[in-house]
Amino acid sequence: MRSSRVFSMALCLFVMAAAPGCDTNSALTETVVSIPPHDGVFIHISHGSEDPHRVLMALKMAEIMAADRDVLVYFDIAGIDVVLADAPDIAFDGFPPSHTQLTRLQELRVPVFACPGCLKAAGKTPGDLAAGIQVTEKDAFFSFTDGRILTLDY
């Protein structure tokens, strides 16, 4: 019964809107359709060259997700060693090497951040980071997307 009432109301609205000379502004209320914002993917990498599969999988996921999502990549703990200017180029079968993937993320305009406290704990400074890697500020965690935030930890 409810579905027939909804159908009848929809039919009446359609007829009123299609009627010649009908003032649709007074006959219908304006319907606003909002498109939800893109969701964001926060990729957290806390491992370094000691676990190449984990690091390279995380970087590949960032590239894949960037095709239709807002993405932010965050390195901390041992992951800091991956984003230093003198970092070794990590390799693992089935994945592009780390330097190639980090360059690709920059081309896609994916922000890549390093934890300032972890830099300090490693005896490094922001000047030790590779080109394009930024030191994190907490607002970056919330401002990179307008949608929901999904986190992937590696």
Side-chain angles (χ1 to χ4, degrees), residues 1-15:
M1 178 171 207
R2 183 171 185 229
S3 63
S4 65
R5 195 176 325 156
V6 170
F7 176 76
S8 297
M9 289 175 61
L11 182 60
C12 287
L13 290 173
F14 175 78
V15 170

Side-chain angles (χ1 to χ4, degrees), residues 13-66:
L13 290 173
F14 175 78
V15 170
M16 288 171 47
C22 177
D23 181 8
T24 56
N25 288 333
S26 62
L28 298 174
T29 58
E30 186 175 323
T31 302
V32 176
V33 177
S34 64
I35 298 171
H38 280 207
D39 291 336
V41 181
F42 182 99
I43 298 187
H44 172 226
I45 304 171
S46 60
H47 294 269
S49 58
E50 81 287 352
D51 198 344
H53 185 196
R54 185 183 303 252
V55 171
L56 297 177
M57 182 65 202
L59 294 172
K60 187 63 181 172
M61 287 300 294
E63 180 182 351
I64 291 168
M65 294 295 179

